[in-house]
């Protein structure tokens, strides 16, 4: 008689916190709580996180994991006490593919950046002397994926993180406490704001034509195009793009050839293994539209409309890192983002996205013929949704 329990292995029980940050959700870990093999980069870490999230899932639902089957909810974060000078915590972000056994470590998540400071305080990763009894704790974050500094201003009440409040963020149903997030020197690690040297390029895309494009490395590598050149108004919601396979094919092809021109990949086939970056977005002049919530957006409220794709689908709101790219590009005269917003010099911009509107700020300067941005600023909110342990089969490691 066959022993049906012969291959039984117990589940691993790993401390974890499920958090919302901005318009994203993810599973947060203190690095020291992970099994030793997963505390360093490699296949063991990837296998563990894939199983936690529930990928790869050919059904596209992530039913057997913590993921929510969208790019906004298929995310993982690993934090550790920082070994960098003048920083409190190291922040590593993994964007988990839904239907593939793949985690993209090439970029940051700006939305979840808002949750990092709160998690770090709760996990004891920030020195207690830096946390006031009441007021604001300034958490200095080292973003490991892109080697950049992020400053999070976390509201504190009676010595603990204040999560509730009246700050409203379009794309998030309920109000919460406001968290100001500063992205310091948000160009890429080699300080190449415009990798081609141009603020507007002509991008040749076989099978689809030529497009004007602003390709920028700020917050995250992003390709901006004019909505009209793509046959869109700039007021589209998710269904208009995500239900159209031909449109998705067009955007992915444009993204791949932009990645090649930006020097992010060496061969066009490599784009499939770098899904998180670059992002692709399209802009238009300010127009009235109805947001996905049913809220009416008046063009007088905004400077321009922006729609962006993440992991191959139109995002329901706006990725935080893409918002940094929008802020930086809007501040630089002549970019497609700046022109859509009306041109000229500006230090802030309010843009419309599928869920509503968002204001972001950045200050740009031209030095020796090169544009730079000292920092980009935006407000987000974050809160713990659940904390305890996640469980995965021991056979994963």
């Amino acid at each position: 008689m066959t022993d049906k329990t012969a291959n039984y292995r117990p589940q691993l029980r790993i401390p974890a916190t499920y958090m919302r940050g901005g318009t994203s959700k993810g599973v947060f870990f203190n690095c020291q709580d992970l099994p030793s093999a997963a505390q360093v980069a490699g296949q063991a870490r990837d296998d563990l996180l894939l199983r936690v999230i529930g990928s790869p899932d050919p059904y596209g639902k992530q039913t057997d994991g913590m993921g929510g089957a969208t790019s906004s909810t298929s995310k993982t974060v690993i934090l550790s006490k920082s070994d960098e000078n003048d920083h409190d915590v190291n922040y590593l972000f993994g964007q988990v593919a839904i239907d593939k056994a793949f985690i993209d470590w090439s970029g940051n998540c700006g939305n979840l950046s808002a949750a990092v400071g709160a998690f770090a305080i709760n996990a004891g990763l920030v020195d207690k002397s830096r946390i006031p009894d009441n007021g604001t704790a300034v958490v200095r974050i080292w973003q490991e994926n892109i080697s950049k500094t992020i400053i999070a201003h976390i509201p504190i009440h009676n010595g603990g993180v204040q999560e509730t409040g009246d700050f409203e963020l379009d794309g998030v149903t309920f109000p919460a406490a406001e968290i100001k997030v500063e992205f310091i020197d948000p160009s890429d690690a080699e300080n190449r704001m415009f990798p081609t040297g141009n603020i507007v390029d002509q991008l040749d895309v076989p099978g689809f034509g030529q497009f004007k494009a602003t390709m920028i490395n700020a917050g995250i590598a992003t390709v901006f195009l004019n909505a009209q050149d793509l046959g869109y108004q700039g007021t589209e919601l998710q269904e208009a793009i995500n239900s159209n396979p031909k449109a998705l094919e067009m955007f992915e092809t444009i993204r791949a050839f932009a990645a090649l021109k930006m020097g992010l990949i060496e061969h066009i086939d490599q784009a499939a293994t770098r899904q998180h970056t670059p992002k692709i977005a399209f802009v238009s002049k300010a127009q009235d539209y109805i947001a996905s919530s049913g809220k009416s957006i008046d063009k007088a409220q905004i400077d321009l409309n922006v729609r962006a794709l993440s992991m191959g689908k139109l995002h329901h709101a706006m990725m935080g890192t893409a918002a940094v790219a929008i802020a930086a590009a809007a501040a630089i005269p002549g970019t497609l983002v700046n022109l859509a917003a009306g041109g000229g010099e500006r230090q802030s911009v309010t843009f419309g996205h599928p869920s509503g509107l968002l204001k972001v700020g950045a200050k740009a300067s031209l030095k020796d013929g090169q544009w730079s941005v000292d920092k980009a600023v935006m407000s987000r909110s974050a809160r713990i949704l659940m904390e305890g342990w996640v469980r995965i089969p021991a056979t994963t490691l």
Side-chain angles (χ1 to χ4, degrees), residues 177-189:
E178 181 178 5
I179 297 172
K180 187 172 78 170
V181 185
E182 299 176 310
F183 298 83
I184 308 302
D185 183 22
S187 60
D188 79 350

Side-chain angles (χ1 to χ4, degrees), residues 57-104:
D57 185 354
Y59 303 106
K61 303 299 183 183
Q62 293 178 325
T63 304
D64 199 25
M66 297 294 293
T70 68
S71 67
S72 301
T73 56
S74 186
K75 299 174 182 282
T76 59
V77 171
I78 300 173
L79 299 183
S80 58
K81 199 166 184 63
S82 185
D83 50 7
E84 296 287 333
N85 289 334
D86 299 322
H87 290 76
D88 299 299
V89 61
N90 289 346
Y91 159 36
L92 184 66
F93 168 69
Q95 177 72 57
V96 183
I98 296 169
D99 59 350
K100 300 179 179 66
F102 175 68
I103 300 180
D104 196 327

Side-chain angles (χ1 to χ4, degrees), residues 365-377:
S365 58
L366 184 63
K367 301 175 184 177
D368 300 323
Q370 298 291 323
W371 283 102
S372 64
V373 171
D374 294 334
K375 67 179 178 181
V377 183

Side-chain angles (χ1 to χ4, degrees), residues 301-318:
Q301 297 176 275
I302 57 178
D303 299 299
L304 76 161
N305 288 316
V306 190
R307 300 296 187 263
L309 284 82
S310 179
M311 301 295 283
K313 296 291 181 70
L314 188 71
H315 196 273
H316 72 99
M318 183 55 62

Side-chain angles (χ1 to χ4, degrees), residues 86 242 297:
D86 299 322
N242 295 344
I297 305 298

Side-chain angles (χ1 to χ4, degrees), residues 7-8 14 32 43 57 73 96 115 149-150 162 165 180-181 193 204 208 214-215 246 252 275 319 361 373 387 390:
N7 294 321
Y8 170 78
I14 305 168
Q32 67 181 15
Q43 195 61 50
D57 185 354
T73 56
V96 183
T149 297
I150 300 170
Q162 177 189 333
K180 187 172 78 170
V181 185
M193 181 76 74
D204 295 319
F208 293 97
T214 289
M215 294 177 281
K246 188 67 175 177
E252 180 57 24
Q275 297 177 331
M319 305 81 79
V373 171
E387 55 189 340
V390 292

